[in-house]
Coordinates of all heavy atoms in Angstrom, one line a residue:
A539 N 13.6 127.2 2.5 CA 13.2 128.1 1.5 C 14.2 128.0 0.4 O 15.4 127.8 0.7 CB 13.0 129.5 2.0
P540 N 13.9 128.2 -0.9 CA 14.9 128.2 -2.0 C 15.9 129.4 -1.8 O 15.5 130.5 -1.4 CB 14.1 128.4 -3.2 CG 12.8 129.0 -2.8 CD 12.5 128.5 -1.4
S541 N 17.1 129.1 -2.2 CA 18.2 130.1 -2.0 C 18.0 131.2 -3.2 O 17.8 130.8 -4.3 CB 19.5 129.5 -2.1 OG 20.6 130.4 -2.0
L542 N 18.2 132.4 -2.8 CA 18.1 133.5 -3.7 C 19.4 134.1 -4.2 O 19.5 135.2 -4.7 CB 17.3 134.7 -3.1 CG 15.8 134.4 -2.7 CD1 15.2 135.6 -2.1 CD2 15.0 133.8 -3.9
T543 N 20.4 133.3 -3.9 CA 21.8 133.8 -4.3 C 22.0 133.5 -5.8 O 21.7 132.4 -6.3 CB 22.9 133.0 -3.5 OG1 22.6 133.2 -2.1 CG2 24.2 133.5 -3.8
P544 N 22.5 134.5 -6.6 CA 22.7 134.2 -8.0 C 23.8 133.2 -8.3 O 24.8 133.1 -7.6 CB 23.0 135.6 -8.6 CG 23.6 136.3 -7.4 CD 22.8 135.8 -6.2
G545 N 23.6 132.3 -9.3 CA 24.6 131.3 -9.6 C 25.5 131.8 -10.7 O 25.5 133.0 -11.1
P546 N 26.4 130.9 -11.2 CA 27.4 131.4 -12.2 C 26.8 131.8 -13.5 O 27.4 132.6 -14.3 CB 28.3 130.1 -12.3 CG 28.1 129.4 -11.1 CD 26.7 129.6 -10.7
A547 N 25.6 131.2 -13.9 CA 25.0 131.5 -15.2 C 24.4 132.9 -15.2 O 23.9 133.3 -16.3 CB 24.0 130.5 -15.5
R548 N 24.3 133.6 -14.1 CA 23.7 134.9 -14.0 C 24.7 136.0 -14.5 O 24.2 137.1 -14.7 CB 23.2 135.2 -12.6 CG 22.0 134.4 -12.2 CD 20.8 134.6 -13.1 NE 19.6 133.9 -12.7 CZ 18.7 134.5 -11.9 NH1 18.8 135.7 -11.5 NH2 17.7 133.7 -11.5
Y549 N 25.9 135.7 -14.6 CA 26.9 136.8 -15.0 C 27.3 136.7 -16.4 O 27.4 135.6 -17.0 CB 28.2 136.7 -14.1 CG 27.9 136.8 -12.6 CD1 27.7 135.7 -11.8 CD2 27.8 138.1 -12.0 CE1 27.5 135.8 -10.4 CE2 27.5 138.2 -10.7 CZ 27.3 137.0 -9.9 OH 27.1 137.2 -8.5
F550 N 27.5 137.8 -17.1 CA 27.9 137.9 -18.5 C 29.2 138.7 -18.6 O 29.1 140.0 -18.8 CB 26.8 138.5 -19.4 CG 25.5 137.8 -19.3 CD1 24.5 138.1 -18.4 CD2 25.3 136.7 -20.1 CE1 23.3 137.4 -18.3 CE2 24.1 136.0 -20.1 CZ 23.1 136.3 -19.2
P551 N 30.4 138.1 -18.6 CA 31.6 138.9 -18.7 C 31.8 139.5 -20.0 O 32.5 140.5 -20.1 CB 32.7 137.8 -18.4 CG 32.0 136.7 -17.7 CD 30.6 136.7 -18.3
E552 N 31.3 139.0 -21.1 CA 31.5 139.5 -22.4 C 30.8 140.9 -22.6 O 31.1 141.6 -23.5 CB 31.0 138.6 -23.5 CG 29.5 138.3 -23.5 CD 29.1 137.2 -22.5 OE1 30.0 136.7 -21.8 OE2 27.9 136.8 -22.4
R553 N 29.9 141.2 -21.8 CA 29.2 142.5 -21.9 C 29.8 143.6 -21.0 O 29.3 144.7 -20.9 CB 27.7 142.3 -21.5 CG 27.0 141.4 -22.3 CD 25.5 141.3 -21.9 NE 24.8 140.3 -22.7 CZ 23.5 140.0 -22.4 NH1 22.8 140.6 -21.5 NH2 22.9 139.1 -23.2
A554 N 30.9 143.3 -20.4 CA 31.6 144.3 -19.5 C 32.4 145.3 -20.3 O 33.0 146.2 -19.6 CB 32.4 143.5 -18.5
G555 N 32.5 145.2 -21.6 CA 33.4 146.1 -22.3 C 32.8 147.5 -22.3 O 33.6 148.5 -22.4
N556 N 31.5 147.7 -22.4 CA 30.9 149.0 -22.4 C 31.2 149.7 -21.1 O 31.2 151.0 -21.1 CB 29.5 148.9 -22.7 CG 29.2 148.3 -24.1 OD1 30.0 148.4 -25.0 ND2 28.0 147.6 -24.2
A557 N 31.4 149.0 -20.0 CA 31.5 149.7 -18.7 C 33.0 149.9 -18.4 O 33.3 150.8 -17.6 CB 30.8 148.9 -17.6
T558 N 33.9 149.0 -18.9 CA 35.3 149.1 -18.5 C 36.1 149.9 -19.5 O 37.2 150.5 -19.1 CB 35.9 147.7 -18.5 OG1 35.7 147.0 -19.7 CG2 35.2 146.9 -17.4
Y559 N 35.7 150.1 -20.8 CA 36.5 150.8 -21.8 C 35.8 152.1 -22.1 O 34.5 152.2 -22.1 CB 36.7 150.0 -23.0 CG 37.5 148.7 -22.8 CD1 36.8 147.5 -22.6 CD2 38.9 148.8 -22.7 CE1 37.5 146.3 -22.4 CE2 39.6 147.6 -22.4 CZ 38.9 146.4 -22.3 OH 39.6 145.3 -22.0
P560 N 36.5 153.2 -22.5 CA 35.9 154.5 -22.9 C 35.1 154.3 -24.2 O 35.5 153.5 -25.1 CB 37.0 155.4 -23.0 CG 38.2 154.6 -23.3 CD 38.0 153.3 -22.6
R561 N 34.1 155.2 -24.4 CA 33.2 155.1 -25.6 C 32.7 156.5 -25.8 O 32.7 157.4 -25.0 CB 32.1 154.1 -25.4 CG 31.2 154.5 -24.3 CD 30.0 153.6 -24.2 NE 29.1 153.9 -23.0 CZ 28.0 153.3 -22.8 NH1 27.6 152.3 -23.5 NH2 27.2 153.7 -21.8
A562 N 32.2 156.7 -27.1 CA 31.6 158.0 -27.4 C 30.2 158.2 -26.8 O 29.5 157.2 -26.5 CB 31.5 158.1 -28.9
P563 N 29.8 159.4 -26.5 CA 28.5 159.6 -25.9 C 27.4 159.3 -26.9 O 27.4 159.5 -28.1 CB 28.5 161.1 -25.6 CG 29.5 161.7 -26.5 CD 30.5 160.7 -26.7
R564 N 26.3 158.6 -26.3 CA 25.2 158.2 -27.1 C 23.9 158.9 -26.5 O 23.8 158.9 -25.3 CB 25.0 156.7 -27.1 CG 26.1 156.0 -27.9 CD 26.0 154.5 -27.9 NE 25.9 153.9 -26.6 CZ 25.7 152.6 -26.4 NH1 25.5 151.8 -27.4 NH2 25.7 152.1 -25.2
H565 N 23.0 159.3 -27.4 CA 21.8 160.0 -26.9 C 20.6 159.3 -27.5 O 20.6 158.7 -28.6 CB 21.8 161.5 -27.4 CG 23.0 162.3 -27.0 ND1 23.1 162.8 -25.8 CD2 24.1 162.5 -27.7 CE1 24.3 163.4 -25.7 NE2 24.9 163.3 -26.8
T566 N 19.5 159.3 -26.7 CA 18.3 158.6 -27.1 C 17.2 159.7 -27.1 O 17.2 160.7 -26.4 CB 17.9 157.5 -26.2 OG1 17.8 158.0 -24.8 CG2 19.0 156.4 -26.2
I567 N 16.2 159.4 -28.0 CA 15.0 160.3 -28.1 C 13.9 159.6 -27.3 O 13.4 158.6 -27.7 CB 14.6 160.6 -29.5 CG1 15.7 161.2 -30.3 CG2 13.3 161.4 -29.6 CD1 15.4 161.4 -31.8
A568 N 13.5 160.2 -26.2 CA 12.5 159.6 -25.3 C 11.1 160.1 -25.7 O 11.0 161.2 -26.4 CB 12.7 159.9 -23.8
S569 N 10.1 159.5 -25.4 CA 8.7 159.9 -25.7 C 8.3 161.0 -24.7 O 8.9 161.2 -23.7 CB 7.8 158.7 -25.6 OG 7.8 158.2 -24.3

């Protein structure tokens, strides 16, 4: 069966700034 393990291309280290550094609160208007 094909392996379901994620490869190296599945990770995005450049997007980790929003989770590792503090930021101002943001609100969204839901329907």
Side-chain angles (χ1 to χ4, degrees):
S541 178
L542 301 179
T543 305
R548 291 298 185 94
Y549 300 98
F550 301 94
E552 63 275 6
R553 299 180 184 179
N556 299 331
T558 56
Y559 298 100
R561 61 177 180 175
R564 293 182 298 177
H565 305 279
T566 58
I567 300 175
S569 60

